[in-house]
Amino acid sequence: MFGKRFYNELKELEEKLLTKKSFIIIPHYNPDGDAIGSALAFYLILKKLNKKVKVISPSEFPSFLDWLPESDKIKVIWNKSQIRKDIFSAAEVLIAVDFNEIKRLGDLSSEFEKSEAFKILIDHHPNPMQFTDLMISAPEYSSTAELVYDVFKNIGLHKFIDVDIATCIYAGIMTDTGSFNYNSSTPNTFRVVADLLEYGVNKDDAYDKTYNSFSVDRMRFMGHVMLNRMVVLPEYKSAYIHISAKDRRDFNEKFGDTENFVNIPLAVKGIRFTAIFIERDNFIKISFRSKGNFDVNKFASNHFNGGGHKNAAGGESFTSLQESVELFVKLLEQYKIELLYE
Ligand code: 5GP
Ligand code: MN
């Protein structure tokens, strides 16, 4: 709970939610469980208030989130040609969830920027850019979904929470905390989760539907990647994975299949920093994870056009897969002292 914090922001948010009629909720590009869970929770609660509301996702979301209530109502932007000038014109209010810079909307960024709707950001990433009229940014939260719950509670919307809304919030928290295994969860996270369970969330079902829903192709792909594409560098307490476009084709990769691969080498004893480089159509998508003090948010923003959190960040590179990896290995030498001793 917030106490006096966000007093003015919450008052303004409440006023907008109650008085405005039409809303569009927007998660970030390549949305994860937190972005989709938070967006759907907002969608469902606004429906309960009889508002006109839509979720527009800047890109496809992983199929392991298909089971979330009303996820089939999300309007997905599959390609640029769907982005009309009037894409946001039906809404008086735009609610952005789970990102801290406008660039993370991909091709939707410029329409978002141009829109005259009232813009709200609800997010938990550090150092947010100012790109909305109202911002509720709380980096100490494990997830945007946990924050959304406290926002609802603080403005009296919790009386509208039902099992579907609670399940969307739970899924956001579960996925962003690595099922409560990352260091990002706090006593407040568990208090929120306790409340969500009281609303009837089936946590075991949520886990099963999210994490035990892989295809056989994905399991074989993971086997191939761990055996042939993981490079462990104990001299830097680091490991990285590189996946080419051909690897993705050979294993019939579906969107979301590589999610979580980057965490696996962190389970090797002594490894504190991991990276994954994935050759996508026009760029190399990179993810970083760390344990302890090594700040991958800074590393990603300093060297790979990205950002995120201290222990989980992402970025991109516009050179080849090989060049991106070579730069990474060179940087490890530069960061050796931090990697080994901090
Ligand atoms: P992932 O590696 O799973 O894509 O993302 C890890 C964290 O970093 C998430 O919080 C995500 O929102 C953030 N992130 C991922 N890619 C980018 C990026 O290109 N730029 C920024 N600023 N954050 C990113
Ligand atoms: Mn998040």
Side-chain angles (χ1 to χ4, degrees):
M1 292 295 280
F2 302 132
K4 286 222 167 75
R5 196 171 168 209
F6 298 129
Y7 181 81
N8 292 324
E9 287 88 349
L10 290 169
K11 237 167 88 172
E12 197 174 5
L13 176 69
E14 184 179 9
E15 187 260 324
K16 298 291 173 202
L17 296 185
L18 297 180
T19 61
K20 301 291 175 188
K21 295 193 182 73
S22 49
F23 298 79
I24 294 179
I25 306 165
I26 312 152
H28 55 77
Y29 191 86
N30 278 346
D32 55 8
D34 190 26
I36 293 293
S38 302
L40 286 172
F42 250 107
Y43 170 83
L44 290 167
I45 211 128
L46 287 168
K47 283 247 150 204
K48 291 229 163 162
L49 297 175
N50 291 318
K51 304 291 177 176
K52 208 175 143 230
V53 51
K54 226 177 6 182
V55 178
I56 299 184
S57 173
S59 67
E60 188 182 357
F61 61 88
S63 61
F64 61 76
L65 301 171
D66 277 354
W67 64 275
L68 284 176
E70 308 280 324
S71 61
D72 57 325
K73 304 285 186 343
I74 297 175
K75 182 179 161 54
V76 174
I77 304 291
W78 296 92
N79 63 59
K80 245 180 161 162
S81 67
Q82 285 171 276
I83 306 178
R84 305 233 171 82
K85 281 196 172 37
D86 61 354
I87 188 156
F88 294 135
S89 66
E92 292 167 282
V93 180
L94 302 181
I95 305 178
V97 290
D98 197 37
F99 57 97
N100 60 355
E101 51 177 341
I102 195 166
K103 154 182 150 200
R104 302 219 64 223
L105 286 177
D107 292 331
L108 270 183
S109 308
S110 63
E111 296 314 321
F112 186 92
E113 199 166 11
K114 277 186 252 161
S115 165
E116 282 170 12
F118 187 83
K119 295 167 196 162
I120 299 171
L121 173 71
I122 316 256
D123 181 47
H124 73 131
H125 291 88
N127 312 316
M129 311 275 251
Q130 182 82 43
F131 61 95
T132 57
D133 302 297
L134 175 62
M135 178 162 83
I136 297 181
S137 162
E140 76 281 15
Y141 273 68
S142 73
S143 48
T144 299
E146 180 190 336
L147 179 60
V148 164
Y149 179 80
D150 275 353
V151 166
F152 286 172
K153 204 163 163 184
N154 276 272
I155 58 180
L157 288 181
H158 55 293
K159 57 179 175 283
F160 296 103
I161 295 180
D162 61 14
V163 63
D164 282 354
I165 297 174
T167 298
C168 292
I169 296 174
Y170 182 82
I173 300 175
M174 177 184 75
T175 51
D176 244 33
T177 59
S179 300
F180 312 101
N181 283 307
Y182 304 155
N183 64 357
S184 54
S185 44
T186 65
N188 189 64
T189 313
F190 291 92
R191 276 192 282 270
V192 169
V193 165
D195 285 359
L196 296 171
L197 297 182
E198 307 260 23
Y199 283 109
V201 171
N202 184 336
K203 65 180 172 53
D204 307 318
D205 191 52
Y207 184 92
D208 191 51
K209 285 177 168 151
T210 306
Y211 295 109
N212 300 332
S213 69
F214 295 124
S215 65
V216 174
D217 282 340
R218 193 270 187 184
M219 294 311 253
R220 305 235 185 265
F221 187 25
M222 184 172 76
H224 164 71
V225 166
M226 291 308 141
L227 185 61
N228 305 309
R229 299 290 184 260
M230 176 174 74
V231 179
V232 182
L233 300 167
E235 65 274 33
Y236 301 112
K237 297 191 176 175
S238 300
Y240 69 90
I241 291 167
H242 53 99
I243 296 175
S244 68
K246 181 173 183 306
D247 289 327
R248 298 198 291 111
R249 280 195 302 276
D250 288 350
F251 287 86
N252 191 24
E253 185 224 27
K254 295 281 179 303
F255 186 76
D257 279 358
T258 55
E259 196 86 3
N260 215 39
F261 283 4
V262 64
N263 292 301
I264 300 174
L266 272 187
V268 176
K269 192 169 181 183
I271 298 302
R272 306 180 58 206
F273 178 34
T274 62
I276 189 167
F277 297 81
I278 305 172
E279 189 180 10
R280 296 277 166 211
D281 292 344
N282 306 310
F283 71 109
I284 310 297
K285 164 70 188 153
I286 310 167
S287 291
F288 300 103
R289 299 291 185 269
S290 68
K291 271 193 230 172
N293 275 333
F294 190 69
D295 187 338
V296 294
N297 176 22
K298 278 198 197 133
F299 189 86
S301 70
N302 286 346
H303 305 291
F304 290 99
N305 310 301
H309 306 278
K310 184 177 174 191
N311 296 121
E316 45 200 31
S317 158
F318 299 94
T319 62
S320 70
L321 183 59
Q322 196 185 334
E323 284 169 308
S324 308
V325 165
E326 280 169 9
L327 170 63
F328 173 73
V329 174
K330 218 189 259 173
L331 288 167
L332 289 180
E333 182 60 33
Q334 198 177 309
Y335 284 86
K336 192 169 183 174
I337 293 180
E338 281 172 57
L339 286 165
L340 296 187
Y341 305 111
E342 280 185 16

